[in-house]
């Protein structure tokens, strides 16, 4: 037992058992969310985030299941009211879509399900699904408490009856990107930060990535964008859109503080090879103009999109580059509909749709 929950343990590691982490563009069973309730994450603005957040839920619920972690019946009722009364709800059959939305009584500290949620693995031979419950410390202990968030993957594993693996080190979903053929993309700024796993070398961290995600080839970028309190998550800068192609954000204003670090990452990407020795295909994505709130530069990026089975949900920022970014992403996802949702208020919490979500793959 751990944290009062049953844990399935095995002497073999996930990769030895044939498990791997599917890419986000692979078929999904569900979108997982943790209902936002921590006012300190959106100081003075939390009421403004529910409209775009609820549109996100309904945009995905029209074609796949949405599972939401809530603390109790009161939070569930509050969430349902917000979903039913959001501006987007007036344009759809909201009660029909709500049949696709399910609530789980799993209390959380905060809303960032990409990082505290379950890392779902699948075994394509046995058709088994499993979960990795990485340690979670709120990005290096920045925002305590995080004890409730830390046990979410195991609670979901118990609810779904899935095997749960416990590596015993800190790892966040927003820090890793996958192409589904064995390549993982991450950043040194985050995974090698002393506030995560200071006892581990880069080679030791790579061993964990191979053992628990089932990857064979690891690529490292450098820094994340300015304002990113996660110490450089990959999901704000570079994302796989298929097995061979990434989109990566670039800053076009040489005077902007993101310009040089994003140029450095672009140069690294151009030198990288995939697991088969072929070069990465690279699509450049613009950055929005700086988004400032309360004298703070926020980590606004079009790369923080969520890929569902039929759509790509992209944050927009009331910016001149919004339409251009959406058009580029639509070219990258010809079989999906790219949907922009205003994230100007959401980003005050220092994350957007990808940070807030975690996909459950289909077996």
């Amino acid at each position: 037992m751990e944290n009062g929950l049953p844990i399935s343990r095995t002497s073999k590691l996930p990769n030895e058992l044939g498990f791997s982490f599917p890419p986000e563009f692979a078929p999904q069973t569900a979108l997982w969310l943790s209902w936002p309730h921590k006012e300190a994450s959106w100081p003075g603005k939390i009421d403004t985030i529910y409209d775009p957040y609820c549109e996100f839920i309904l945009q995905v619920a029209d074609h796949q299941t949405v599972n939401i972690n809530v603390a109790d019946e009161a939070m569930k009722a509050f969430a349902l009211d917000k979903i039913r009364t959001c501006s987007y709800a007036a344009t759809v059959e909201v009660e029909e879509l709500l049949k696709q939305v399910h609530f789980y009584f799993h209390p959380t500290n905060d809303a960032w399900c990409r990082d505290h949620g379950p890392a779902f693995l699948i075994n394509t031979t046995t058709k088994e699904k499993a979960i990795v419950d990485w340690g979670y410390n709120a990005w290096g202990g920045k925002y305590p408490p995080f004890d409730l968030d830390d046990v979410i993957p195991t609670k979901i594993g118990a609810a779904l009856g899935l095997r749960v693996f416990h590596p015993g080190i800190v790892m966040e979903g927003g820090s890793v990107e996958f192409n589904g053929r064995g390549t993982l993309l991450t950043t040194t700024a985050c995974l090698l930060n002393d506030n995560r796993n200071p006892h581990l070398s880069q080679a030791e961290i790579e061993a964990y990535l191979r053992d628990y995600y089932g990857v064979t080839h690891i690529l490292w970028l450098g820094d994340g964008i300015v304002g990113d309190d996660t110490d450089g998550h990959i999901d704000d800068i570079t994302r796989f859109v298929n097995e061979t192609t990434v989109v990566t954000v670039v800053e076009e204003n040489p005077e902007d503080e993101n310009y040089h670090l994003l140029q450095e990452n672009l140069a690294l990407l151009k030198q990288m090879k995939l697991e088969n020795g072929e070069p990465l295909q690279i699509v450049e994505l613009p950055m929005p103009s700086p988004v400032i709130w309360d004298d703070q530069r926020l980590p606004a990026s079009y790369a923080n999109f969520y890929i569902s089975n039929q759509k790509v949900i992209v944050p927009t920022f009331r910016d001149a580059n919004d339409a251009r970014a959406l058009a580029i992403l639509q070219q990258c996802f010809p079989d999906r509909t790219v949907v922009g949702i205003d994230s100007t208020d959401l980003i005050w919490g220092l994350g957007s749709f990808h940070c807030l979500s975690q996909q459950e793959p289909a077996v």
Side-chain angles (χ1 to χ4, degrees), residues 44-351:
K45 292 188 72 157
I46 191 167
D47 289 343
T48 68
I49 73 165
Y50 292 119
D51 201 71
Y53 188 84
C54 291
E55 179 178 352
F56 180 29
I57 292 168
L58 293 173
Q59 287 277 6
V60 176
D62 76 358
H63 62 279
Q64 71 187 60
T65 299
V66 179
N67 295 325
I68 307 176
N69 299 309
V70 292
D72 49 31
E73 288 285 358
M75 188 178 289
K76 175 183 175 181
F78 179 84
L80 284 169
D81 177 66
K82 291 296 183 184
I83 295 169
R84 287 185 171 113
T85 59
C86 76
S87 57
Y88 182 72
T91 70
V92 295
E93 295 292 336
V94 66
E95 295 304 321
E96 195 64 27
L97 296 185
L98 280 172
K99 294 176 182 176
Q100 290 273 73
V101 179
H102 306 285
F103 294 89
Y104 287 78
F105 295 121
H106 299 151
T108 62
N109 302 108
D110 211 337
W112 309 108
C113 198
R114 177 62 49 179
D115 295 336
H116 69 235
F120 287 98
L121 308 177
I122 60 172
N123 185 315
T124 55
T125 302
T126 65
K127 305 303 181 186
E128 183 184 355
K129 190 180 295 184
I131 284 173
V132 182
D133 186 343
W134 298 101
Y136 174 75
N137 70 353
W139 314 287
K142 292 184 179 74
Y143 306 109
F146 43 81
D147 55 313
L148 298 176
D149 290 345
D150 189 33
V151 298
I152 287 295
T154 293
K155 287 191 171 185
I156 291 174
L160 301 182
L162 300 181
R163 185 196 316 221
V164 179
F165 296 98
H166 289 256
I169 71 165
V170 171
M171 188 73 61
E172 299 132 18
S175 69
V176 284
E177 266 289 307
F178 304 81
N179 78 336
R181 294 198 316 201
T183 294
L184 180 152
L185 186 62
T186 188
T187 66
T188 57
C190 180
L191 262 60
L192 303 187
N193 196 301
D194 285 344
N195 62 15
R196 303 306 206 276
N197 302 293
H199 60 295
L200 297 179
S201 67
Q202 181 170 338
E204 289 169 327
I205 289 172
E206 289 190 351
Y208 275 98
L209 296 172
R210 292 187 176 94
D211 289 344
Y212 287 90
Y213 280 134
V215 297
T216 58
H217 187 60
I218 299 167
L219 302 174
W220 294 84
L221 289 179
D223 289 326
I225 58 174
V226 176
D228 176 12
D229 62 337
T230 69
D231 305 304
H233 272 187
I234 193 75
D235 66 356
D236 274 333
I237 52 175
T238 307
R239 304 285 307 283
F240 276 108
V241 298
N242 58 45
E243 294 176 341
T244 60
T245 308
V246 295
V247 292
T248 193
V249 290
V250 292
E251 175 53 58
E252 295 164 333
N253 177 9
E255 303 303 314
D256 190 282
E257 52 192 337
N258 278 318
Y259 179 82
H260 290 293
L261 66 89
L262 292 177
Q263 285 297 314
E264 289 170 6
N265 278 336
L266 179 61
L268 288 171
L269 288 168
K270 289 179 177 178
Q271 298 169 12
M272 288 178 176
K273 298 289 193 291
L274 291 164
E275 71 291 329
N276 59 3
E278 295 295 317
L280 271 172
Q281 302 299 308
I282 302 167
V283 175
E284 296 183 18
L285 194 62
M287 286 283 281
S289 301
V291 178
I292 310 291
W293 178 258
D294 201 20
D295 297 324
Q296 182 178 343
R297 174 80 180 255
L298 305 179
S301 168
Y302 300 118
N304 203 255
F305 53 81
Y306 172 75
I307 308 168
S308 70
N309 283 336
Q310 295 181 15
K311 297 179 180 179
V312 181
I313 309 298
V314 184
T316 58
F317 304 98
R318 306 171 196 170
D319 188 82
N321 277 337
D322 288 355
R324 190 168 145 223
L326 294 174
I328 291 169
L329 289 171
Q330 187 62 75
Q331 290 183 320
C332 293
F333 293 99
D335 298 328
R336 289 175 165 90
T337 301
V338 170
V339 178
I341 301 179
D342 191 334
S343 188
T344 310
D345 290 323
L346 270 175
I347 200 63
W348 176 226
L350 308 182

